[in-house]
Amino acid sequence: MALDGWKERLFQKYLYWICRPARLRRKLSDLVKEGRAAPPREGRRLRAAALQVKIRLFKDPLDYAAEAHRRVAEAAAAGAHLVAFPEDNNLPLLGLLPGVEEMGEALAQGEAAPPPAAAGAPEITVADVIRYAGPVLAPFLHTLYSTLASAYGLYLMAGSFLLPDGERVVNRSFFYGPGGELIGTQDKVHLMPIEWEWGISPGREFNLFETAAGKMAAPVCMDATYFETFRILELQGAEIVIIPIANPEPYNYWLALRGIWPRVQECPVFGIKSALVGRLLGFEFTGRAGIFAPAELTPDGSGVLAEVESPEEEGMAMAELDLEALQELRRRHPWRDSNPALYRRYLPRLYCQLEERLKLKPAGD
Amino acid sequence: MKVAALSLAGVPLENPAEYAAALAALLKQLQTGLAVLPAHTSFLLCAAQEQLVDAGDFAASFRAFMQKARAWNEVYLQMHCRLARENKLYLVPGTTIVEEGGRFFLAACLIDPGGRIIGWQRQTHLSREERSFGLSRGEELPLFDVEGMKAGLILGTDARHPEVGRILALQGAGLVIHCGAIATGPELAAQPAGIWAQVQQNQFWAVEAQLKGSMGGRTFGGRCAVLGPCEITPGQTGYLDRDAEGRPFAAAELREADRRRIKTDYPLLELLRPEAYRGRLPELYGEV
């Protein structure tokens, strides 16, 4: 690995020092002095907040923590029982690394991306950077979001983080309970081509989080492109599927429609989309955070309960989710059907053939 | 290949000769290699020509049609085979009811330019109402050759079940033909959750014929469309064409080179993760 010299190790020690949980806890105890618990839930109803976060780099992790606290406090003040942050929610902490902010500014002003490594020098991949910074960031992020969840007594999907897991680097979402306990995580299963290029490894299964407030899941971004994600979760009992996104393309209504909205219509669940927006390191992230429901549960049939207006600015979409109404819809659904004989006849063979075909190709090629 | 989806709005239904002449005039104008009619076309024609309709009760009318369908299909199929032959095009004349061994299926056939029926597709998923009629589900999703392109049919409620599109796509479908009928009301807003969504997650073309008209007290108002992956359609909408007021069809040329390009640039199906579905799909599915 390229970053294995003593300077790198020294800098890593510095990162450990400024990200140490004790420092963060002191900051958080100042910030959440006036924290208040979410209002009690009424029956099987809960208020959900989908955050739209405008990305910027932080040189001090405590500033990042203060920003995360501000967003949670605002959502809690509005009565949220469940708050969702976006995908790649640790990217702002790349600002801790020397030169990243300057590189971002240069890229924003139209300069070309840095050239590849000189001949003979090892190439540094995104995965290498994550392996270097990840061990420092993981405990910091856990302390931060766990503390925020318990301080405000709400369910908190902290977004997804690029983190090392042994030799692998994964895009992993984290889901905390109102006591600050980590209820579960979900590795992104369907990777975008660029993530394969970055050296990210895909998840291998879909996880259901069973909570007192309902059965939830938090697959990541591109996972919502494929009906399989939602069908597996629905059939496992999911009632709320949270999708953190960081969509690196200019906003287009129809392109953005290809994710969570049709999935929620196909597999009756509530859907929460949290979005990262803004420009960073040559990427333009857009999206509209929103809360979605089966069309039959929205008065105008739109399937949209709430949506942030701008695809580029900070925002929050908030709506009440009635899980009993969802269960009632499932029991008496007007058009939903199942044909297991058909699926058994085709799906195992076709998935198997696809898997064999993919094995013959290099990953992500 | 140029394709078209027709809504039947404004087409006279009561008289077979007038119906055939109106449709032939429209097909001549469109000059397509494939034309698709909406769901319930057979029911609609039978009702109009045989006075089946109970004006206030769609369900009663439909049940009456089920009993008449076997005899009626001879007239209906003959009429549309002739239309295909005379206009030298592939034609999917909407859906009808077929009976086999005492079981009833919603089904559609594909007729070739020689006027021969080259295959049938039975609807594989049924709405609550369709189940209440005593209909049965089809259990096959074959592909047919349409001018060198592999084509599959998605009927009615199947549009809302993404397994259907996925099965067709993984078998190699490049084109999907849909016969639909969406009742007016809030349900119309969800139309993109059907064929549009299946196109986007499978990167095939689709010709979506939606019924416009009223029958048995029920009004249908979905929009006909020709669809493709967003990236190769104007404005990245996913639509090559849609019907409009006074224009009861959608028609467009399918440029297969464009579809091949997007499948290379953004190979969605190759980014599927079948190992993550193993032991879940189809194992988790239960009966409704």
Side-chain angles (χ1 to χ4, degrees), chain A residues 41 87 90 125-126 128 135 143 164 176 190 204 207 216 227 236 248 267 313 344 347:
Chain A
R41 282 175 284 111
E87 183 184 21
N90 59 341
T125 65
V126 172
D128 289 332
T143 304
Y176 292 93
H190 302 91
R204 301 178 180 114
N207 302 324
M216 308 189 203
F227 88 86
Q236 288 178 330
C267 309
E313 300 300 329
R344 281 194 298 270
L347 288 179

Side-chain angles (χ1 to χ4, degrees), chain A residues 19 90 148 163 274:
Chain A
C19 290
N90 59 341
L148 290 177
L163 288 174
S274 45

Side-chain angles (χ1 to χ4, degrees), chain A residues 23-159:
Chain A
R23 180 173 183 248
L24 174 62
R25 281 194 203 97
R26 276 200 299 279
K27 175 77 174 179
L28 288 174
S29 85
D30 287 344
L31 288 171
V32 297
K33 267 180 189 149
E34 294 174 18
R36 59 174 182 196
R41 282 175 284 111
E42 291 173 23
R44 297 207 68 219
R45 293 167 183 261
L46 76 161
R47 284 181 70 78
L51 300 183
Q52 189 159 303
V53 174
K54 189 153 189 181
I55 192 166
R56 62 188 170 102
L57 292 170
F58 291 94
K59 283 184 176 295
D60 186 332
L62 296 192
D63 292 338
Y64 171 84
E67 182 65 5
H69 169 261
R70 178 179 72 81
R71 301 305 306 271
V72 173
E74 282 176 6
H81 303 104
L82 168 62
V83 178
F85 279 89
E87 183 184 21
D88 294 339
N89 195 26
N90 59 341
L91 282 187
L93 291 170
L94 284 179
L96 303 181
L97 301 178
V100 169
E101 188 171 20
E102 291 75 10
M103 188 168 75
E105 285 169 7
L107 287 169
Q109 286 166 17
E111 282 189 31
E123 188 74 53
I124 297 173
T125 65
V126 172
D128 289 332
V129 175
I130 300 303
R131 284 191 193 96
Y132 176 76
V136 181
L137 299 183
F140 173 84
L141 292 164
H142 171 69
T143 304
L144 170 60
Y145 288 103
S146 163
T147 305
L148 290 177
S150 64
Y152 289 92
L154 41 72
Y155 291 94
L156 182 63
M157 201 288 288

Side-chain angles (χ1 to χ4, degrees), chain B residues 33-255:
Chain B
L34 166 69
V36 183
L37 303 183
H40 295 322
T41 295
S42 177
F43 174 29
L44 200 66
L45 287 169
C46 181
Q49 293 174 18
E50 309 248 329
Q51 287 87 45
L52 266 183
V53 169
D54 176 335
D57 193 339
F58 180 87
S61 304
F62 192 87
R63 285 197 174 94
F65 173 60
M66 285 172 67
Q67 299 311 315
K68 279 212 159 227
R70 184 187 283 266
W72 167 253
N73 277 343
E74 282 186 34
V75 179
Y76 158 77
L77 292 173
Q78 209 170 49
M79 184 190 317
H80 289 94
C81 286
R82 190 183 319 122
L83 266 170
R85 190 172 60 245
E86 289 175 357
N87 291 278
K88 298 182 178 56
L89 47 62
Y90 287 90
L91 178 66
V92 176
T95 58
T96 188
I97 297 286
V98 294
E99 188 188 344
E100 184 181 274
R103 296 167 76 202
F104 293 88
F105 301 89
L106 277 162
C109 64
L110 174 62
I111 306 169
D112 76 7
R116 293 173 293 268
I117 294 173
I118 57 175
W120 282 90
Q121 175 63 58
R122 292 172 175 175
Q123 190 169 311
T124 59
H125 297 79
L126 300 169
S127 69
R128 177 171 288 270
E129 181 183 55
E130 288 163 346
R131 294 196 295 273
S132 78
F133 294 152
L135 292 165
S136 297
R137 303 177 185 92
E139 292 180 1
E140 287 182 70
L141 287 164
L143 296 183
F144 307 101
D145 184 274
V146 176
E147 288 197 9
M149 201 180 296
K150 288 182 179 176
L153 275 71
I154 295 184
L155 309 183
T157 313
D158 282 351
R160 302 296 297 271
H161 293 82
E163 289 84 355
V164 177
R166 182 71 87 231
I167 288 169
L168 293 172
L170 289 178
Q171 291 186 93
L175 169 66
V176 150
I177 294 162
H178 176 56
C179 307
I182 305 175
T184 51
E187 209 179 310
L188 280 180
Q191 188 179 340
I195 290 298
W196 184 90
Q198 300 226 20
V199 166
Q200 302 315 321
Q201 59 176 320
N202 291 296
Q203 296 181 314
F204 41 50
W205 303 112
V207 189
E208 175 173 15
Q210 288 288 348
L211 180 63
K212 272 204 177 69
S214 295
M215 184 169 40
R218 189 171 298 177
T219 303
F220 298 90
R223 289 184 69 181
C224 292
V226 179
L227 307 96
C230 282
E231 291 86 350
I232 56 172
T233 57
Q236 298 187 306
T237 59
Y239 294 107
L240 287 169
D241 193 28
R242 299 172 87 178
D243 69 12
E245 192 67 39
R247 187 172 172 271
F249 60 84
E253 185 81 29
L254 307 181
R255 300 182 195 283

Side-chain angles (χ1 to χ4, degrees), chain A residues 189-193 196 202-206 222 225-229 231-233 235-236 252 254-255 257-258 261-263 265-267 295-296 298-302 330-355 357-359 361 364-365, chain B residues 123-129 131 137-142 157 160-164 166-168 170-171 185-194 196-198 200-201 229-231 235-239 242 265-278 280-288:
Chain A
V189 171
H190 302 91
L191 300 181
M192 294 174 66
W196 287 104
R204 301 178 180 114
E205 61 187 359
F206 299 100
M222 180 85 164
T225 298
Y226 298 96
F227 88 86
E228 285 87 350
T229 303
R231 185 68 87 218
I232 289 171
L233 290 168
L235 294 174
Q236 288 178 330
N252 171 292
W254 294 98
L255 294 180
L257 193 68
R258 297 196 289 195
W261 181 83
R263 301 296 87 77
Q265 307 313 319
E266 291 158 355
C267 309
E296 294 81 2
T298 54
D300 60 356
S302 68
R330 286 179 176 177
R331 281 189 289 272
R332 309 178 58 79
H333 203 288
W335 54 262
R336 179 93 159 81
D337 197 12
S338 182
N339 191 337
L342 178 81
Y343 312 144
R344 281 194 298 270
R345 182 185 195 115
Y346 288 98
L347 288 179
R349 174 170 56 86
L350 292 171
Y351 284 140
C352 189
Q353 285 171 355
L354 177 67
E355 200 172 348
R357 210 163 63 235
L358 295 178
K359 273 183 194 161
K361 298 185 71 178
D365 187 16
Chain B
Q123 190 169 311
T124 59
H125 297 79
L126 300 169
S127 69
R128 177 171 288 270
E129 181 183 55
R131 294 196 295 273
R137 303 177 185 92
E139 292 180 1
E140 287 182 70
L141 287 164
T157 313
R160 302 296 297 271
H161 293 82
E163 289 84 355
V164 177
R166 182 71 87 231
I167 288 169
L168 293 172
L170 289 178
Q171 291 186 93
E187 209 179 310
L188 280 180
Q191 188 179 340
W196 184 90
Q198 300 226 20
Q200 302 315 321
Q201 59 176 320
C230 282
E231 291 86 350
Q236 298 187 306
T237 59
Y239 294 107
R242 299 172 87 178
D265 293 349
Y266 187 37
L268 262 185
L269 293 179
E270 294 184 9
L271 296 170
L272 280 161
R273 301 272 301 135
E275 61 270 48
Y277 320 145
R278 200 181 299 129
R280 299 285 183 273
L281 301 180
E283 289 81 352
L284 287 172
Y285 286 105
E287 308 283 346
V288 164

Side-chain angles (χ1 to χ4, degrees), chain A residues 287-311:
Chain A
R288 295 172 66 191
I291 301 185
F292 306 91
E296 294 81 2
L297 296 182
T298 54
D300 60 356
S302 68
V304 180
L305 290 170
E307 204 168 17
V308 172
E309 198 60 38
S310 165

Side-chain angles (χ1 to χ4, degrees), chain A residues 165-345:
Chain A
D165 180 3
E167 282 304 300
R168 304 164 74 231
V169 170
V170 295
N171 187 344
R172 178 173 291 166
S173 68
F174 287 76
F175 188 73
Y176 292 93
E181 72 281 16
L182 178 63
I183 293 177
T185 64
Q186 171 68 58
D187 291 351
K188 186 175 185 176
V189 171
H190 302 91
L191 300 181
M192 294 174 66
I194 196 170
E195 291 175 303
W196 287 104
E197 288 171 25
W198 286 350
I200 310 298
S201 296
R204 301 178 180 114
E205 61 187 359
F206 299 100
N207 302 324
L208 185 70
F209 310 139
E210 300 204 32
T211 77
K215 294 177 181 175
M216 308 189 203
V220 181
C221 196
M222 180 85 164
D223 286 332
T225 298
Y226 298 96
F227 88 86
E228 285 87 350
T229 303
F230 276 62
R231 185 68 87 218
I232 289 171
L233 290 168
E234 178 212 356
L235 294 174
Q236 288 178 330
E239 296 167 302
I240 301 170
V241 178
I242 308 165
I243 296 283
I245 72 160
N247 206 13
E249 63 187 3
Y251 184 78
N252 171 292
Y253 170 83
W254 294 98
L255 294 180
L257 193 68
R258 297 196 289 195
I260 192 169
W261 181 83
R263 301 296 87 77
V264 164
Q265 307 313 319
E266 291 158 355
C267 309
V269 293
F270 286 108
I272 298 173
K273 177 170 77 174
S274 45
L276 188 73
V277 299
R279 291 171 186 269
L280 182 74
L281 299 174
F283 290 99
E284 180 188 7
F285 297 101
T286 66
R288 295 172 66 191
I291 301 185
F292 306 91
E296 294 81 2
L297 296 182
T298 54
D300 60 356
S302 68
V304 180
L305 290 170
E307 204 168 17
V308 172
E309 198 60 38
S310 165
E312 291 154 355
E313 300 300 329
E314 177 182 306
M316 177 170 73
M318 195 157 199
E320 184 167 85
L321 314 182
D322 183 344
L323 302 188
E324 193 45 52
L326 177 71
Q327 293 298 344
E328 180 61 17
L329 172 66
R330 286 179 176 177
R331 281 189 289 272
R332 309 178 58 79
H333 203 288
W335 54 262
R336 179 93 159 81
D337 197 12
S338 182
N339 191 337
L342 178 81
Y343 312 144
R344 281 194 298 270
R345 182 185 195 115

